[in-house]
Amino acid sequence: MKTCKLFASALFSVGLSALALQPSYAAVEGEPSPQFNSGGDVSLTPGHSNHYMAFAPESPEMLARMPTIDPETGLHVSQIKPGLFYVTDGVYQSAFLVTDEGVIVIDAPPSFADKLPDAIRQHAPGIAIRYLVYSHGHSDHIAGARVFGDVDGLEIVAHADVARSLARAERPNILPPTKTYDAPHSFSLGGETVELTPASFHAEDADTIVYLPKQKFVAAVDTITPGEVPFMNFGATSDVGAYMTLFDTILEYEFDHILSGHVSVLGTREDVLKARDYSHDVWQTAGAGMATFLDRFNATLTELEYQNANLAYRATIEAVRRDCASEVISRWTGKLSVVDVWADSHCQTVILYNIMH
Ligand SMILES: [Zn+2]
């Protein structure tokens, strides 16, 4: 009972500070009052502390930026520079560049890959698909590649480490790369240039930043989500320390558009700057919270009479995470959409990094 009291009071005190920062969501009549996201599971059950109504909807700014999806095809395809098209189904993104000598495709997400050849044919009638570039080796961005399996002479371009990873795994929907690189590499087709720069901000093996200099276009997949805070755990990065440096790397390019692979919105330089400021704010906030970590852990462990160190660890991580998320959400609500959905995961990612580094 003593343990229960301890955790109830510790968590309640954190909960109170969070409630003080509660954004002003409209309550639904008959529903419990919205409460602040307390970091636990999201629930559709009324009365649950993390009822979905406790979360802000997508911001009006974000909704206004979303392109219209064609109900017939389930896709949005638009020409953003002469010959350069970006494609989205509202969740994933891909792009293709039409040149006089052929088409270059960047990524083939399985969520809409079946429709990609038709979309390309419509905008590049009679022009052969010559290249497919993999941004990285994750299935959710390239496991639609099989739709190009019957394209004669198709060159599939990927980082050598991605090719090695693919060769080790049974992933029949992903066509094996035919051209690889492990240093900056570029190729040209029909007078257009594609620059490929190896990077390390997300995948376990290798990422590639794809740059089209004439079109001032960057593809850096699984990085930012324009208009929103990054996806869970900073785009599910495998290395949050490296992730924190990617913004300045991207900003070194001269670009008008950035394709980040997710959500329907194409990003701008401003989106990268905002994502950088947000991510660095989380980094600093969670880092500062670590100053109290050991004291909090030891106090909790003492209360638990040294009987359950795992529980003490979990409670300490949760307490530091909640303090961090409360601060971050209070600073970023109204600036980036869905901050209340993902801030706690961002804080936890940085807390774990700090524990290990
Ligand atoms: Zn990925």
Side-chain angles (χ1 to χ4, degrees):
M1 289 308 288
K2 189 177 173 188
T3 304
C4 291
K5 257 190 192 161
L6 166 83
F7 283 107
S9 84
L11 298 182
F12 184 60
S13 64
V14 174
L16 274 184
S17 64
L19 279 170
L21 296 167
Q22 176 187 319
S24 54
Y25 311 128
V28 173
E29 209 170 326
E31 295 274 299
S33 297
Q35 295 179 36
F36 195 82
N37 165 23
S38 62
D41 293 345
V42 176
S43 173
L44 302 183
T45 307
H48 190 284
S49 63
N50 262 0
H51 185 243
Y52 76 95
M53 285 299 295
F55 294 82
E58 283 277 10
S59 70
E61 295 81 7
M62 184 65 192
L63 292 172
R65 290 179 68 180
M66 290 179 181
T68 307
I69 305 291
D70 181 336
E72 295 231 334
T73 62
L75 289 182
H76 171 89
V77 183
S78 61
Q79 187 167 204
I80 52 172
K81 287 286 170 84
L84 176 60
F85 296 80
Y86 102 101
V87 186
T88 181
D89 60 353
V91 183
Y92 281 89
Q93 302 173 336
S94 149
F96 61 91
L97 177 66
V98 182
T99 81
D100 293 340
E101 293 175 16
V103 177
I104 300 161
V105 183
I106 302 169
D107 281 352
S111 67
F112 63 75
D114 286 350
K115 303 162 186 166
L116 202 46
D118 272 352
I120 294 171
R121 260 192 296 276
Q122 191 187 340
H123 295 281
I127 303 180
I129 298 169
R130 296 280 307 279
Y131 287 91
L132 172 60
V133 177
Y134 290 164
S135 64
H136 65 302
H138 287 168
S139 291
D140 61 328
H141 292 275
I142 62 169
R146 59 175 170 71
V147 302
F148 300 114
D150 59 355
V151 175
D152 283 341
L154 179 68
E155 294 284 13
I156 298 170
V157 190
H159 192 285
D161 289 348
V162 170
R164 274 190 280 273
S165 300
L166 293 174
R168 280 196 297 268
E170 288 238 347
R171 292 154 82 185
N173 290 331
I174 301 176
L175 303 177
T178 59
K179 273 186 188 294
T180 62
Y181 51 87
D182 56 12
H185 172 74
S186 66
F187 66 90
S188 296
L189 183 71
E192 309 295 341
T193 303
V194 178
E195 295 179 8
L196 305 169
T197 304
S200 177
F201 47 75
H202 166 70
E204 310 79 10
D205 41 19
D207 303 293
T208 291
I209 295 176
V210 183
Y211 182 52
L212 309 181
K214 198 196 278 185
Q215 291 75 20
K216 294 187 179 173
F217 175 82
V218 175
V221 171
D222 283 339
T223 52
I224 67 170
T225 37
E228 301 176 342
V229 298
F231 182 67
M232 182 194 292
N233 304 335
F234 291 108
T237 183
S238 60
D239 184 348
V240 71
Y243 180 92
M244 290 293 156
T245 68
L246 83 89
F247 309 100
D248 289 339
T249 303
I250 294 172
L251 289 166
E252 283 173 15
Y253 290 91
E254 189 182 350
F255 67 93
D256 296 328
H257 300 289
I258 175 170
L259 181 125
S260 59
H262 280 282
V263 303
S264 56
V265 175
L266 210 51
T268 64
R269 201 171 186 84
E270 183 63 27
D271 289 315
V272 178
L273 288 165
K274 249 185 173 180
R276 178 184 68 178
D277 292 348
Y278 169 82
S279 302
H280 289 183
D281 185 22
V282 175
W283 181 264
Q284 282 160 7
T285 306
M290 292 307 291
T292 66
F293 192 93
L294 270 183
D295 284 346
R296 290 167 107 157
F297 173 72
N298 286 328
T300 310
L301 194 57
T302 305
E303 285 293 332
L304 290 170
E305 297 173 351
Y306 299 92
Q307 295 300 304
N308 195 337
N310 283 279
L311 184 56
Y313 220 80
R314 174 175 168 168
T316 307
I317 288 173
E318 288 185 352
V320 175
R321 182 184 75 196
R322 283 179 187 171
D323 285 355
C324 169
S326 298
E327 275 191 48
V328 168
I329 291 168
S330 71
R331 281 195 287 272
W332 287 90
T333 296
K335 295 178 188 161
L336 281 174
S337 196
V338 300
V339 60
D340 59 340
V341 177
W342 294 129
D344 57 359
S345 91
H346 298 149
C347 288
Q348 178 152 319
T349 301
V350 177
I351 290 166
L352 292 176
Y353 180 89
N354 273 280
I355 289 170
M356 296 183 287
H357 292 84

PDB file of all heavy atoms in Angstrom, residues 71-98:
ATOM      1  N   PRO A  71     -10.357  11.123 -55.655  1.00  0.00           N
ATOM      2  CA  PRO A  71     -11.108   9.963 -55.142  1.00  0.00           C
ATOM      3  C   PRO A  71     -11.068   8.764 -56.094  1.00  0.00           C
ATOM      4  O   PRO A  71     -11.236   7.625 -55.671  1.00  0.00           O
ATOM      5  CB  PRO A  71     -12.545  10.498 -54.982  1.00  0.00           C
ATOM      6  CG  PRO A  71     -12.609  11.745 -55.791  1.00  0.00           C
ATOM      7  CD  PRO A  71     -11.210  12.277 -55.918  1.00  0.00           C
ATOM      8  N   GLU A  72     -10.839   9.023 -57.382  1.00  0.00           N
ATOM      9  CA  GLU A  72     -10.802   7.907 -58.353  1.00  0.00           C
ATOM     10  C   GLU A  72      -9.518   7.093 -58.230  1.00  0.00           C
ATOM     11  O   GLU A  72      -9.530   5.865 -58.282  1.00  0.00           O
ATOM     12  CB  GLU A  72     -10.881   8.462 -59.777  1.00  0.00           C
ATOM     13  CG  GLU A  72     -12.199   9.139 -60.073  1.00  0.00           C
ATOM     14  CD  GLU A  72     -12.815   8.620 -61.354  1.00  0.00           C
ATOM     15  OE1 GLU A  72     -12.057   8.158 -62.217  1.00  0.00           O
ATOM     16  OE2 GLU A  72     -14.051   8.678 -61.450  1.00  0.00           O
ATOM     17  N   THR A  73      -8.402   7.800 -58.075  1.00  0.00           N
ATOM     18  CA  THR A  73      -7.119   7.093 -58.045  1.00  0.00           C
ATOM     19  C   THR A  73      -6.598   6.888 -56.630  1.00  0.00           C
ATOM     20  O   THR A  73      -5.705   6.066 -56.400  1.00  0.00           O
ATOM     21  CB  THR A  73      -6.049   7.883 -58.817  1.00  0.00           C
ATOM     22  OG1 THR A  73      -5.867   9.155 -58.164  1.00  0.00           O
ATOM     23  CG2 THR A  73      -6.462   8.123 -60.256  1.00  0.00           C
ATOM     24  N   GLY A  74      -7.132   7.665 -55.688  1.00  0.00           N
ATOM     25  CA  GLY A  74      -6.600   7.595 -54.321  1.00  0.00           C
ATOM     26  C   GLY A  74      -5.248   8.272 -54.188  1.00  0.00           C
ATOM     27  O   GLY A  74      -4.544   8.103 -53.198  1.00  0.00           O
ATOM     28  N   LEU A  75      -4.884   9.061 -55.196  1.00  0.00           N
ATOM     29  CA  LEU A  75      -3.576   9.720 -55.192  1.00  0.00           C
ATOM     30  C   LEU A  75      -3.691  11.222 -55.444  1.00  0.00           C
ATOM     31  O   LEU A  75      -4.651  11.694 -56.047  1.00  0.00           O
ATOM     32  CB  LEU A  75      -2.686   9.150 -56.307  1.00  0.00           C
ATOM     33  CG  LEU A  75      -2.123   7.740 -56.179  1.00  0.00           C
ATOM     34  CD1 LEU A  75      -1.243   7.434 -57.375  1.00  0.00           C
ATOM     35  CD2 LEU A  75      -1.345   7.580 -54.877  1.00  0.00           C
ATOM     36  N   HIS A  76      -2.680  11.917 -55.016  1.00  0.00           N
ATOM     37  CA  HIS A  76      -2.472  13.295 -55.460  1.00  0.00           C
ATOM     38  C   HIS A  76      -1.146  13.307 -56.222  1.00  0.00           C
ATOM     39  O   HIS A  76      -0.124  12.874 -55.697  1.00  0.00           O
ATOM     40  CB  HIS A  76      -2.390  14.251 -54.268  1.00  0.00           C
ATOM     41  CG  HIS A  76      -1.968  15.632 -54.653  1.00  0.00           C
ATOM     42  ND1 HIS A  76      -2.875  16.603 -55.016  1.00  0.00           N
ATOM     43  CD2 HIS A  76      -0.738  16.195 -54.766  1.00  0.00           C
ATOM     44  CE1 HIS A  76      -2.213  17.713 -55.333  1.00  0.00           C
ATOM     45  NE2 HIS A  76      -0.915  17.490 -55.184  1.00  0.00           N
ATOM     46  N   VAL A  77      -1.200  13.775 -57.454  1.00  0.00           N
ATOM     47  CA  VAL A  77       0.023  13.890 -58.263  1.00  0.00           C
ATOM     48  C   VAL A  77       0.102  15.327 -58.738  1.00  0.00           C
ATOM     49  O   VAL A  77      -0.834  15.835 -59.339  1.00  0.00           O
ATOM     50  CB  VAL A  77      -0.029  12.957 -59.497  1.00  0.00           C
ATOM     51  CG1 VAL A  77       1.285  13.041 -60.282  1.00  0.00           C
ATOM     52  CG2 VAL A  77      -0.303  11.518 -59.080  1.00  0.00           C
ATOM     53  N   SER A  78       1.199  16.007 -58.439  1.00  0.00           N
ATOM     54  CA  SER A  78       1.292  17.379 -58.950  1.00  0.00           C
ATOM     55  C   SER A  78       2.708  17.687 -59.413  1.00  0.00           C
ATOM     56  O   SER A  78       3.696  17.144 -58.891  1.00  0.00           O
ATOM     57  CB  SER A  78       0.835  18.391 -57.898  1.00  0.00           C
ATOM     58  OG  SER A  78       1.637  18.314 -56.766  1.00  0.00           O
ATOM     59  N   GLN A  79       2.759  18.559 -60.429  1.00  0.00           N
ATOM     60  CA  GLN A  79       4.035  18.957 -61.002  1.00  0.00           C
ATOM     61  C   GLN A  79       4.533  20.165 -60.218  1.00  0.00           C
ATOM     62  O   GLN A  79       3.923  21.219 -60.235  1.00  0.00           O
ATOM     63  CB  GLN A  79       3.864  19.298 -62.483  1.00  0.00           C
ATOM     64  CG  GLN A  79       5.164  19.563 -63.185  1.00  0.00           C
ATOM     65  CD  GLN A  79       5.034  19.594 -64.707  1.00  0.00           C
ATOM     66  OE1 GLN A  79       5.989  19.358 -65.421  1.00  0.00           O
ATOM     67  NE2 GLN A  79       3.856  19.900 -65.192  1.00  0.00           N
ATOM     68  N   ILE A  80       5.670  19.994 -59.532  1.00  0.00           N
ATOM     69  CA  ILE A  80       6.142  21.086 -58.675  1.00  0.00           C
ATOM     70  C   ILE A  80       7.251  21.896 -59.345  1.00  0.00           C
ATOM     71  O   ILE A  80       7.526  23.022 -58.943  1.00  0.00           O
ATOM     72  CB  ILE A  80       6.618  20.554 -57.300  1.00  0.00           C
ATOM     73  CG1 ILE A  80       7.622  19.412 -57.477  1.00  0.00           C
ATOM     74  CG2 ILE A  80       5.435  20.108 -56.480  1.00  0.00           C
ATOM     75  CD1 ILE A  80       8.264  18.973 -56.178  1.00  0.00           C
ATOM     76  N   LYS A  81       7.901  21.313 -60.323  1.00  0.00           N
ATOM     77  CA  LYS A  81       8.879  22.005 -61.174  1.00  0.00           C
ATOM     78  C   LYS A  81       8.733  21.359 -62.549  1.00  0.00           C
ATOM     79  O   LYS A  81       8.245  20.223 -62.634  1.00  0.00           O
ATOM     80  CB  LYS A  81      10.313  21.813 -60.659  1.00  0.00           C
ATOM     81  CG  LYS A  81      10.653  22.600 -59.398  1.00  0.00           C
ATOM     82  CD  LYS A  81      10.831  24.085 -59.679  1.00  0.00           C
ATOM     83  CE  LYS A  81      10.936  24.921 -58.422  1.00  0.00           C
ATOM     84  NZ  LYS A  81      12.243  24.985 -57.847  1.00  0.00           N
ATOM     85  N   PRO A  82       9.157  22.031 -63.627  1.00  0.00           N
ATOM     86  CA  PRO A  82       8.993  21.406 -64.941  1.00  0.00           C
ATOM     87  C   PRO A  82       9.550  19.978 -64.963  1.00  0.00           C
ATOM     88  O   PRO A  82      10.726  19.758 -64.678  1.00  0.00           O
ATOM     89  CB  PRO A  82       9.788  22.335 -65.870  1.00  0.00           C
ATOM     90  CG  PRO A  82       9.707  23.666 -65.201  1.00  0.00           C
ATOM     91  CD  PRO A  82       9.753  23.374 -63.725  1.00  0.00           C
ATOM     92  N   GLY A  83       8.672  19.016 -65.232  1.00  0.00           N
ATOM     93  CA  GLY A  83       9.082  17.612 -65.317  1.00  0.00           C
ATOM     94  C   GLY A  83       9.179  16.887 -63.985  1.00  0.00           C
ATOM     95  O   GLY A  83       9.372  15.677 -63.952  1.00  0.00           O
ATOM     96  N   LEU A  84       9.066  17.596 -62.879  1.00  0.00           N
ATOM     97  CA  LEU A  84       9.202  16.959 -61.558  1.00  0.00           C
ATOM     98  C   LEU A  84       7.832  16.857 -60.878  1.00  0.00           C
ATOM     99  O   LEU A  84       7.172  17.873 -60.644  1.00  0.00           O
ATOM    100  CB  LEU A  84      10.165  17.757 -60.675  1.00  0.00           C
ATOM    101  CG  LEU A  84      10.335  17.256 -59.237  1.00  0.00           C
ATOM    102  CD1 LEU A  84      10.882  15.821 -59.200  1.00  0.00           C
ATOM    103  CD2 LEU A  84      11.248  18.192 -58.438  1.00  0.00           C
ATOM    104  N   PHE A  85       7.442  15.631 -60.578  1.00  0.00           N
ATOM    105  CA  PHE A  85       6.126  15.374 -59.987  1.00  0.00           C
ATOM    106  C   PHE A  85       6.303  14.746 -58.607  1.00  0.00           C
ATOM    107  O   PHE A  85       7.209  13.947 -58.401  1.00  0.00           O
ATOM    108  CB  PHE A  85       5.329  14.397 -60.855  1.00  0.00           C
ATOM    109  CG  PHE A  85       5.010  14.932 -62.223  1.00  0.00           C
ATOM    110  CD1 PHE A  85       5.970  14.898 -63.230  1.00  0.00           C
ATOM    111  CD2 PHE A  85       3.764  15.478 -62.502  1.00  0.00           C
ATOM    112  CE1 PHE A  85       5.683  15.386 -64.499  1.00  0.00           C
ATOM    113  CE2 PHE A  85       3.471  15.972 -63.770  1.00  0.00           C
ATOM    114  CZ  PHE A  85       4.438  15.937 -64.770  1.00  0.00           C
ATOM    115  N   TYR A  86       5.436  15.137 -57.693  1.00  0.00           N
ATOM    116  CA  TYR A  86       5.429  14.387 -56.433  1.00  0.00           C
ATOM    117  C   TYR A  86       4.067  13.725 -56.274  1.00  0.00           C
ATOM    118  O   TYR A  86       3.042  14.199 -56.769  1.00  0.00           O
ATOM    119  CB  TYR A  86       5.834  15.264 -55.247  1.00  0.00           C
ATOM    120  CG  TYR A  86       4.746  15.781 -54.356  1.00  0.00           C
ATOM    121  CD1 TYR A  86       4.485  15.183 -53.127  1.00  0.00           C
ATOM    122  CD2 TYR A  86       3.996  16.896 -54.715  1.00  0.00           C
ATOM    123  CE1 TYR A  86       3.507  15.683 -52.287  1.00  0.00           C
ATOM    124  CE2 TYR A  86       3.029  17.399 -53.878  1.00  0.00           C
ATOM    125  CZ  TYR A  86       2.774  16.787 -52.668  1.00  0.00           C
ATOM    126  OH  TYR A  86       1.803  17.277 -51.846  1.00  0.00           O
ATOM    127  N   VAL A  87       4.100  12.562 -55.605  1.00  0.00           N
ATOM    128  CA  VAL A  87       2.929  11.702 -55.518  1.00  0.00           C
ATOM    129  C   VAL A  87       2.688  11.389 -54.049  1.00  0.00           C
ATOM    130  O   VAL A  87       3.634  11.101 -53.305  1.00  0.00           O
ATOM    131  CB  VAL A  87       3.183  10.360 -56.258  1.00  0.00           C
ATOM    132  CG1 VAL A  87       1.909   9.527 -56.298  1.00  0.00           C
ATOM    133  CG2 VAL A  87       3.724  10.597 -57.653  1.00  0.00           C
ATOM    134  N   THR A  88       1.423  11.426 -53.638  1.00  0.00           N
ATOM    135  CA  THR A  88       1.117  11.012 -52.271  1.00  0.00           C
ATOM    136  C   THR A  88      -0.277  10.400 -52.219  1.00  0.00           C
ATOM    137  O   THR A  88      -1.156  10.757 -53.010  1.00  0.00           O
ATOM    138  CB  THR A  88       1.200  12.197 -51.278  1.00  0.00           C
ATOM    139  OG1 THR A  88       0.904  11.724 -49.962  1.00  0.00           O
ATOM    140  CG2 THR A  88       0.226  13.320 -51.636  1.00  0.00           C
ATOM    141  N   ASP A  89      -0.437   9.472 -51.292  1.00  0.00           N
ATOM    142  CA  ASP A  89      -1.774   8.937 -51.007  1.00  0.00           C
ATOM    143  C   ASP A  89      -2.292   9.514 -49.690  1.00  0.00           C
ATOM    144  O   ASP A  89      -3.272   9.029 -49.142  1.00  0.00           O
ATOM    145  CB  ASP A  89      -1.729   7.408 -50.944  1.00  0.00           C
ATOM    146  CG  ASP A  89      -0.790   6.894 -49.856  1.00  0.00           C
ATOM    147  OD1 ASP A  89      -0.068   7.708 -49.246  1.00  0.00           O
ATOM    148  OD2 ASP A  89      -0.758   5.670 -49.618  1.00  0.00           O
ATOM    149  N   GLY A  90      -1.602  10.530 -49.188  1.00  0.00           N
ATOM    150  CA  GLY A  90      -2.004  11.160 -47.926  1.00  0.00           C
ATOM    151  C   GLY A  90      -1.195  10.647 -46.753  1.00  0.00           C
ATOM    152  O   GLY A  90      -1.229  11.236 -45.673  1.00  0.00           O
ATOM    153  N   VAL A  91      -0.497   9.555 -46.943  1.00  0.00           N
ATOM    154  CA  VAL A  91       0.290   8.969 -45.847  1.00  0.00           C
ATOM    155  C   VAL A  91       1.764   8.845 -46.245  1.00  0.00           C
ATOM    156  O   VAL A  91       2.660   9.148 -45.478  1.00  0.00           O
ATOM    157  CB  VAL A  91      -0.262   7.577 -45.461  1.00  0.00           C
ATOM    158  CG1 VAL A  91       0.510   7.008 -44.283  1.00  0.00           C
ATOM    159  CG2 VAL A  91      -1.744   7.675 -45.121  1.00  0.00           C
ATOM    160  N   TYR A  92       1.993   8.381 -47.481  1.00  0.00           N
ATOM    161  CA  TYR A  92       3.365   8.213 -47.978  1.00  0.00           C
ATOM    162  C   TYR A  92       3.590   9.110 -49.188  1.00  0.00           C
ATOM    163  O   TYR A  92       2.635   9.624 -49.787  1.00  0.00           O
ATOM    164  CB  TYR A  92       3.614   6.743 -48.355  1.00  0.00           C
ATOM    165  CG  TYR A  92       3.878   5.882 -47.142  1.00  0.00           C
ATOM    166  CD1 TYR A  92       2.830   5.273 -46.459  1.00  0.00           C
ATOM    167  CD2 TYR A  92       5.166   5.708 -46.664  1.00  0.00           C
ATOM    168  CE1 TYR A  92       3.066   4.499 -45.330  1.00  0.00           C
ATOM    169  CE2 TYR A  92       5.410   4.942 -45.537  1.00  0.00           C
ATOM    170  CZ  TYR A  92       4.361   4.340 -44.877  1.00  0.00           C
ATOM    171  OH  TYR A  92       4.615   3.587 -43.760  1.00  0.00           O
ATOM    172  N   GLN A  93       4.857   9.256 -49.549  1.00  0.00           N
ATOM    173  CA  GLN A  93       5.209  10.111 -50.682  1.00  0.00           C
ATOM    174  C   GLN A  93       6.268   9.447 -51.565  1.00  0.00           C
ATOM    175  O   GLN A  93       7.094   8.681 -51.094  1.00  0.00           O
ATOM    176  CB  GLN A  93       5.809  11.444 -50.187  1.00  0.00           C
ATOM    177  CG  GLN A  93       4.916  12.246 -49.276  1.00  0.00           C
ATOM    178  CD  GLN A  93       5.629  13.465 -48.700  1.00  0.00           C
ATOM    179  OE1 GLN A  93       6.851  13.505 -48.610  1.00  0.00           O
ATOM    180  NE2 GLN A  93       4.849  14.461 -48.305  1.00  0.00           N
ATOM    181  N   SER A  94       6.220   9.817 -52.835  1.00  0.00           N
ATOM    182  CA  SER A  94       7.239   9.417 -53.796  1.00  0.00           C
ATOM    183  C   SER A  94       7.345  10.571 -54.804  1.00  0.00           C
ATOM    184  O   SER A  94       6.557  11.522 -54.745  1.00  0.00           O
ATOM    185  CB  SER A  94       6.780   8.101 -54.430  1.00  0.00           C
ATOM    186  OG  SER A  94       7.215   7.954 -55.732  1.00  0.00           O
ATOM    187  N   ALA A  95       8.311  10.492 -55.706  1.00  0.00           N
ATOM    188  CA  ALA A  95       8.446  11.552 -56.716  1.00  0.00           C
ATOM    189  C   ALA A  95       9.010  10.933 -57.988  1.00  0.00           C
ATOM    190  O   ALA A  95       9.647   9.868 -57.935  1.00  0.00           O
ATOM    191  CB  ALA A  95       9.364  12.661 -56.211  1.00  0.00           C
ATOM    192  N   PHE A  96       8.764  11.581 -59.114  1.00  0.00           N
ATOM    193  CA  PHE A  96       9.417  11.142 -60.345  1.00  0.00           C
ATOM    194  C   PHE A  96       9.755  12.339 -61.211  1.00  0.00           C
ATOM    195  O   PHE A  96       9.056  13.354 -61.211  1.00  0.00           O
ATOM    196  CB  PHE A  96       8.578  10.094 -61.101  1.00  0.00           C
ATOM    197  CG  PHE A  96       7.210  10.526 -61.554  1.00  0.00           C
ATOM    198  CD1 PHE A  96       7.019  11.098 -62.809  1.00  0.00           C
ATOM    199  CD2 PHE A  96       6.100  10.335 -60.730  1.00  0.00           C
ATOM    200  CE1 PHE A  96       5.748  11.470 -63.242  1.00  0.00           C
ATOM    201  CE2 PHE A  96       4.826  10.709 -61.150  1.00  0.00           C
ATOM    202  CZ  PHE A  96       4.649  11.276 -62.412  1.00  0.00           C
ATOM    203  N   LEU A  97      10.890  12.206 -61.903  1.00  0.00           N
ATOM    204  CA  LEU A  97      11.395  13.266 -62.776  1.00  0.00           C
ATOM    205  C   LEU A  97      11.354  12.759 -64.213  1.00  0.00           C
ATOM    206  O   LEU A  97      11.927  11.708 -64.521  1.00  0.00           O
ATOM    207  CB  LEU A  97      12.827  13.630 -62.380  1.00  0.00           C
ATOM    208  CG  LEU A  97      13.528  14.683 -63.246  1.00  0.00           C
ATOM    209  CD1 LEU A  97      12.845  16.053 -63.122  1.00  0.00           C
ATOM    210  CD2 LEU A  97      15.015  14.810 -62.848  1.00  0.00           C
ATOM    211  N   VAL A  98      10.675  13.492 -65.051  1.00  0.00           N
ATOM    212  CA  VAL A  98      10.541  13.112 -66.458  1.00  0.00           C
ATOM    213  C   VAL A  98      11.595  13.866 -67.262  1.00  0.00           C
ATOM    214  O   VAL A  98      11.652  15.098 -67.227  1.00  0.00           O
ATOM    215  CB  VAL A  98       9.127  13.461 -66.981  1.00  0.00           C
ATOM    216  CG1 VAL A  98       8.981  13.012 -68.445  1.00  0.00           C
ATOM    217  CG2 VAL A  98       8.056  12.826 -66.111  1.00  0.00           C
TER     218      VAL A  98
END
